[in-house]
Amino acid sequence: MTDNKIATVELGRGGPRIGVQGLGCMGMSEFYGDTDQASARETLETALAAGVTLFDTADIYGSGANETFIAPFVGAHRDEITLATKFAIERRDDDPHYRGIRNDPAYIRQAVENSLRRLDTDVIDLYYMHRRDPAVPLAESVGAMAELVRQGKVKQLGLSEVTGAELREAHAVHPIAALQSEWSLFSRDVELSAAPAAAELGVTLVPYSPLGRGFLTGAFADAGKDLTKNDFRQFQPRFTGDNAKTNAALLEPVRKIAAAHGATAAQVALAWVHQRAQVYGLTVVPIPGTRRSSRLLENLGATRITLTPEDLALLEPIAGQVAGDRYPDMSSTSTARE
């Protein structure tokens, strides 16, 4: 690290150098309760100054509002950042609960144009398929994405929530630079097949929700009691009721290790994710989300922490004891297709 900035790594094979930790922008527009947009804008600038260069959004976040929100920041720093966005999850104005999955080429071509317009840019650095629709041949979808690269609208391709076999299949059509999937002390599904495949292919793994959507930090103990009504974590099985009580008890080793390192629980959880890079021999760039500069700087402190073998042994059993699924409906996750 130089000038107090975080270290950098290569995105995929032959891609740009990016900060070893990115920023998930989803919560700046939706899902985690009310947002102070001025604070969120300050957080974007603080992140860049600290060496964060991978900024992650998606067309579903706020039904496009998140892409529009970060557009001025993107425009002001276009040559300094790596911009990632996603397509595939379709919403409807007349049904706020509807979530459809679209991977067909016509939809992909329309989705990228909409994202380019909202982001006010002529190229997306990293374009992800947000979820996989098994009814559409993967080669067909990735082929359409590859055409966007040839047209100069997209620089690199990514996938989210796919299995190792799907990652290999897609990579055979066009090089995949990044795989974004949930990976944390509570969620290790990605280790079943995707992480080994990513290591084999030179694909960067981009863990989302590396802090268990805030649960691993102790920010809340029961989503149904502690969070606002417009916070979607109330609907995730592991964060409410008996599941939440069981899972909160699993955090004691995290707090113990944090105290020993003079760190926070968030920093320990993130340091664990970073050190999975050594276990699997791949590049790992987690994208914890936050709307506050203070939390962002706290999270970046994890890049300076090395957990000991004894620490790792204490943390190892946690995921196997977690109560509840990651989502109320797991059908669109890679786990459902393993």
Side-chain angles (χ1 to χ4, degrees), residues 30 77 80 88-89 100 123 166 186 207 225 227 258 267 279 293:
E30 194 181 15
H77 303 287
E80 302 170 75
I89 304 180
V123 64
E166 290 169 336
F186 268 22
K225 297 176 181 178
L227 303 178
Q267 289 171 335
V279 174
S293 293

Side-chain angles (χ1 to χ4, degrees), residues 129 132 137-139 142 159-174 176 179 181 189-201 203 333-338:
M129 179 190 293
R132 165 99 168 92
L138 189 55
V142 178
L159 301 173
S160 180
E161 287 284 351
V162 297
T163 66
E166 290 169 336
L167 181 59
R168 290 187 181 92
E169 182 183 350
H171 196 79
V173 176
H174 187 280
I176 302 299
L179 167 62
S181 289
D189 307 15
V190 71
E191 297 178 18
L192 292 172
S193 67
E200 172 190 321
L201 300 171
V203 175
T333 67
S334 60
T335 312
R337 300 189 304 277
E338 286 285 1

Side-chain angles (χ1 to χ4, degrees), residues 230-271:
N230 59 344
D231 194 309
F232 91 122
R233 287 171 289 187
Q234 294 183 78
F235 306 104
Q236 293 190 294
R238 58 181 51 167
F239 299 145
T240 58
D242 290 341
N243 285 348
K245 185 176 180 180
T246 295
N247 295 337
L250 299 177
L251 300 179
E252 182 54 34
V254 181
R255 290 190 288 267
K256 178 179 177 181
I257 293 167
H261 283 269
T264 65
Q267 289 171 335
V268 169
L270 280 169

